[in-house]
């Protein structure tokens, strides 16, 4: 339930406070309205008893401004913890919200919106008085929908790249955790993905926001512009057949439950006209289809679980159903997960993967028109661009492809892989306009250990190992990797064929627990998350490279978050 501070303005009462037929606005009423210097709509979007998310919209009715400052005071003990679209400070009960560099302009009659998270005990009364640049504002009467009831501005028109010209939703729950970390405020306003990884996540719990709450918060953040909301749709039957840390709640045969209790409710919410002005990006079922390519049949990397999912077809059916159902919603943009270069970059995986994706995208009523694009490196660590060597280099007559690290892969980084794989996907029948996303949340590999040039040319291995940014022991290592850092910040259209760099995996959320932890989330223990594990066929029987003392997948991992900030590249200021 949202709560909005309301006050009936005398002039508006002439037109909005009467019963019966509508009354025209008189010149006197117009003069009275124009005399109001500013209005403020303060809305509590979500309140869970000890904390809240608030949205503020300020309308300027006086001279145009190139910067602005909004102030108010709390009657209780509310404390702001994180914020977006503003620079916010608090001293005691007094709060000051200043413009960011990109939204300082405030025209006469123009509005600006911002939001924040807060904590409190006792009561959470809405402030009664606000000022804009020292001038007292009346409080808006709430009839304009600023309290979260309408779908805000934005065209709602389908576009080629949903990230172009749009802000991206800052998840207030992740933002609050990030801001609570020492130094975390440097990145707590970055947009991250919202993970719908079990049925309960759709409606939320007493301690976590549900899908509607996130969409409502996104509407509050967007103001009059365009806003992208990033969702990870992730609850297939028999999920993650080649790993255990993120196993799902549904058994291998529960495809009907997946459809009716997971995808259908999500589609019903996303199709609500209230959210029609949002651009909703869905990342569909990470790690599923690539597993059918690499971890089945007679391969050394095959697992019984993956062979089961290949045989029953429920990965293909589930992805197809999700793509069809969500793709029918005009403002939803589906991106299928496409692994990463260290998974699908080899010749015997590359083309077969594209064909499996085409099979899924044309099953269960789906068509390629329901696919906006693909995402690579989701929740992984592969470097965006290796600048110190290329796949075409040779050392003393030996190709880089023959090095132990590259191991005959045709790609050495995510950007080259994503661009080439896009071409392959188009060649098998996907639309020529598809775009790629690359998850850069944990692939920066900065810090003091970042190489500044190529390695020694003593051998092809010293050349590659001495120059590579990606410092994992093996490219197949995926769990809570030691030495990793934040990568490129989220941005739209950074390279040819790339719709955006994104932080789909929220930095600081664990990949899996270092030891077995009993839980009711269906998550098992995977030895690849144990720093003492000596490996398996999927990582060349190397050490796991995982950090110690990690919690369950998706749970907050402070030590990892601090490491990611320390090793960020580009570095954090």
């Amino acid at each position: 339930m949202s709560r909005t501070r309301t006050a009936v303005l005398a002039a508006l009462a002439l037109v909005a406070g009467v019963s019966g037929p509508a009354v025209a606005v008189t010149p006197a009423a117009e003069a009275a309205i124009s005399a109001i210097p500013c209005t403020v709509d303060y809305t509590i979007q979500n309140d869970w008893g000890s904390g809240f998310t608030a949205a503020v919209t300020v309308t300027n009715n006086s001279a145009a401004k190139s910067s602005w400052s909004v102030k108010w005071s709390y009657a209780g003990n509310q404390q702001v913890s994180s914020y977006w679209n503003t620079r916010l400070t608090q001293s005691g009960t007094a709060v000051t919200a200043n413009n960011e560099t990109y939204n300082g302009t405030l025209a006469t009659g123009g509005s600006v919106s911002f939001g924040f998270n807060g904590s409190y005990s006792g009561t959470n009364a809405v402030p009664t008085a606000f000022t804009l640049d020292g001038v007292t504002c009346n409080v808006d009467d709430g009839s304009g929908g600023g309290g979260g009831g309408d779908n805000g501005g934005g065209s709602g028109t389908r576009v080629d790249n949903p990230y172009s010209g749009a802000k991206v939703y800052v998840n207030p729950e992740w933002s609050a955790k990030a801001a609570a970390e020492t130094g975390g405020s440097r990145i707590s306003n970055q947009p991250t993905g919202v993970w719908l990884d079990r049925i309960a996540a759709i409606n939320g719990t007493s301690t976590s926001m549900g899908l509607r709450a996130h969409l409502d918060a996104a509407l509050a953040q967007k103001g009059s512009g365009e806003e992208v909301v990033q969702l990870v749709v992730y609850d297939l039957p028999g999920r993650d057949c080649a790993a255990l840390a993120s196993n799902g709640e549904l058994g291998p045969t529960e495809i009907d439950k997946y459809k009716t209790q997971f995808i259908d409710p999500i589609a019903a919410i996303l199709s609500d006209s209230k959210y029609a002005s949002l651009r909703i990006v869905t990342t569909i079922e990470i790690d599923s289809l690539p597993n059918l390519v690499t971890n089945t049949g007679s391969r050394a990397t095959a697992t019984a679980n993956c062979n089961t999912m290949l045989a029953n077809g429920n990965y293909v059916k589930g992805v197809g159903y999700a793509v069809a159902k969500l793709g029918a919603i005009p403002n939803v943009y589906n991106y299928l997960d496409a692994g990463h270069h260290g998974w699908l970059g080899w010749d015997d995986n590359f083309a077969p993967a594209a064909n499996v994706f085409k099979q899924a995208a044309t099953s269960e009523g789906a068509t390629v028109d329901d696919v906006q694009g693909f995402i690579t490196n989701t929740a992984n660590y592969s470097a965006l661009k290796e600048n110190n060597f290329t796949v075409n280099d040779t050392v003393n007559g030996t190709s880089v492809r023959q090095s132990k690290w590259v191991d005959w892969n045709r790609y050495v980084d995510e950007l080259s892989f994503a661009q080439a794989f896009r071409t392959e996907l188009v060649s098998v029948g996907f639309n020529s306009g598809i775009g790629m996303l690359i998850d850069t949340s944990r692939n920066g590999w900065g810090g003091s250990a970042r190489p500044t040039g190529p390695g020694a040319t003593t051998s092809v291995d010293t050349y590659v190992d001495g120059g590579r940014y990606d410092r994992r022991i093996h490219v197949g290592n995926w769990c809570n990797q030691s030495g990793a850092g934040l990568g490129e910040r989220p941005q739209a259209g950074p390279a040819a064929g790339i719709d955006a760099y994104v932080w789909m995996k929220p930095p600081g959320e664990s990949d899996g627990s270092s030891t077995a932890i009993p839980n009711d989330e269906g998550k098992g223990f995977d030895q690849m998350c144990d720093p003492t594990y000596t490996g398996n066929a999927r990582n060349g029987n190397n050490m796991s490279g995982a950090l110690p003392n990690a919690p369950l997948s998706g749970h907050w991992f402070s030590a990892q978050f601090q490491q990611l900030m320390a090793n960020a590249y580009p570095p954090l200021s």
Side-chain angles (χ1 to χ4, degrees):
M1 297 292 289
S2 66
R3 302 203 302 277
T4 303
R5 172 66 188 174
T6 60
V8 179
L9 307 179
L12 292 181
L14 293 172
V15 294
V18 297
S19 59
V23 179
V25 181
T26 66
E30 288 181 341
I33 293 170
S34 64
I36 299 167
C38 47
T39 60
V40 173
D41 180 10
Y42 177 110
T43 302
I44 296 176
Q45 293 285 332
N46 193 29
D47 192 320
W48 51 93
S50 60
F52 64 100
T53 300
V56 179
T57 298
V58 183
T59 301
N60 173 39
N61 295 322
S62 56
K65 301 175 181 294
S66 59
S67 63
W68 48 265
S69 180
V70 178
K71 297 183 178 182
W72 68 87
S73 293
Y74 285 116
N77 61 0
Q78 294 96 327
Q79 290 291 318
V80 172
S81 57
S82 60
Y83 45 88
W84 48 90
N85 295 336
T86 183
R87 291 176 290 116
L88 199 149
T89 59
Q90 183 171 0
S91 177
T93 60
V95 179
T96 300
N98 293 311
N99 62 277
E100 285 279 15
T101 55
Y102 57 80
N103 65 356
T105 300
L106 190 52
T108 302
S111 298
V112 65
S113 298
F114 57 89
F116 56 91
N117 294 318
S119 61
Y120 72 96
S121 60
T123 59
N124 186 22
V126 173
T128 58
F130 301 84
T131 64
L132 174 62
D133 294 340
V135 177
T136 300
C137 299
N138 287 305
V139 180
D140 186 77
D141 73 340
S143 63
D150 73 359
N151 62 10
S155 66
T157 302
R158 191 164 191 85
V159 294
D160 179 60
N161 178 1
Y163 290 87
S164 180
K167 297 180 294 184
V168 187
Y169 174 58
V170 177
N171 180 347
E173 293 183 303
W174 176 82
S175 180
K177 293 175 184 176
E181 292 279 346
T182 302
S185 61
R186 292 174 295 174
I187 65 165
S188 59
N189 289 337
Q190 291 289 352
T192 55
V194 174
W195 286 56
L196 302 174
D197 59 356
R198 58 192 183 279
I199 293 169
I202 300 171
N203 291 325
T205 68
S206 60
T207 58
S208 64
M209 297 167 65
L211 177 55
R212 281 194 179 275
H214 281 295
L215 296 175
D216 288 340
L219 287 176
Q221 287 183 26
K222 77 184 291 296
S224 59
E226 303 289 355
E227 175 106 342
V228 171
V229 180
Q230 302 176 124
L231 306 177
V232 178
V233 178
Y234 184 47
D235 200 25
L236 270 180
R239 189 178 74 192
D240 278 9
C241 61
L244 297 172
S246 51
N247 280 168
E249 62 187 345
L250 302 180
T253 63
E254 293 188 284
I255 185 66
D256 290 337
K257 188 174 182 180
Y258 173 79
K259 292 178 178 180
T260 60
Q261 296 187 33
F262 185 64
I263 295 299
D264 288 355
I266 292 173
I269 293 171
L270 299 187
S271 61
D272 189 330
S273 60
K274 178 181 182 181
Y275 307 121
S277 67
L278 295 171
R279 298 177 181 178
I280 301 171
V281 164
T282 54
T283 297
I284 304 295
E285 297 295 353
I286 61 173
D287 292 351
S288 58
L289 300 178
N291 273 320
L292 298 184
V293 177
T294 64
N295 298 318
T296 56
S298 60
R299 293 189 181 214
T301 55
T303 72
N305 289 338
C306 289
N307 277 327
T308 294
M309 300 318 299
L310 178 64
N312 68 25
N314 283 342
Y315 276 7
V316 168
K317 293 174 187 174
V319 170
Y321 187 83
V323 167
K325 195 79 173 182
L326 301 177
I329 305 169
N331 59 316
V332 169
Y333 299 80
N334 289 320
Y335 288 81
L336 300 188
D337 180 73
H340 56 89
H341 90 274
W343 191 352
L344 301 182
W346 283 272
D347 291 344
D348 52 354
N349 299 338
F350 193 77
N355 287 317
V356 169
F357 298 154
K358 173 70 177 303
Q359 179 190 4
T362 53
S363 68
E364 300 292 304
T367 74
V368 294
D369 292 333
D370 295 316
V371 177
Q372 178 74 18
F374 292 77
I375 182 169
T376 76
N377 209 43
T378 310
N380 208 264
Y381 298 87
S382 295
L384 178 66
K385 184 72 175 73
E386 292 284 9
N387 293 319
N388 294 326
F389 63 95
T390 76
V391 75
N392 298 315
D393 291 350
T394 60
V395 177
N396 302 323
T398 303
S399 168
V400 157
R401 292 188 69 203
Q402 293 177 254
S403 66
K404 291 179 181 178
W405 174 255
V406 178
D407 191 27
W408 296 103
N409 199 317
R410 288 202 179 273
Y411 305 95
V412 299
D413 53 36
E414 280 309 292
L415 182 56
S416 62
F417 167 73
Q419 291 172 324
F421 197 53
R422 179 187 176 280
T423 300
E424 181 70 18
L425 290 161
V426 172
S427 76
V428 301
F430 285 96
N431 294 333
S432 60
I434 59 171
M436 307 296 286
L437 305 178
I438 302 177
D439 189 343
T440 59
S441 60
R442 306 184 300 178
N443 71 347
W445 296 105
S448 59
R450 184 178 176 88
T452 57
T457 56
T458 310
S459 70
V460 71
D461 288 321
T462 58
Y463 176 71
V464 171
D465 289 341
R468 61 182 170 95
Y469 301 138
D470 188 336
R471 296 192 296 277
R472 287 177 292 175
I473 298 169
H474 187 273
V475 73
N477 287 356
W478 54 268
C479 194
N480 301 323
Q481 290 299 284
S482 176
L486 300 167
E488 288 284 348
R489 312 308 178 249
Q491 55 189 283
I498 310 298
D499 281 352
Y501 296 153
V502 298
W503 283 7
M504 202 61 71
K505 172 73 171 181
E509 292 190 1
S510 174
D511 295 322
S513 59
S514 301
T515 58
I517 299 176
N519 66 91
D520 60 359
E521 299 175 34
K523 295 171 181 175
F525 166 59
D526 195 300
Q527 287 183 298
M528 286 298 291
C529 300
D530 177 358
T532 68
Y533 182 52
T534 56
N536 54 42
R538 286 182 291 282
N539 84 326
N541 294 297
N542 286 279
M543 297 295 291
S544 70
L547 291 170
N549 305 314
L552 289 171
S553 63
H555 290 225
W556 190 254
F557 190 6
S558 178
Q560 184 201 54
F561 185 78
Q562 290 294 333
Q563 174 192 262
L564 292 172
M565 290 194 297
N567 293 333
Y569 194 88
L572 298 178
S573 57

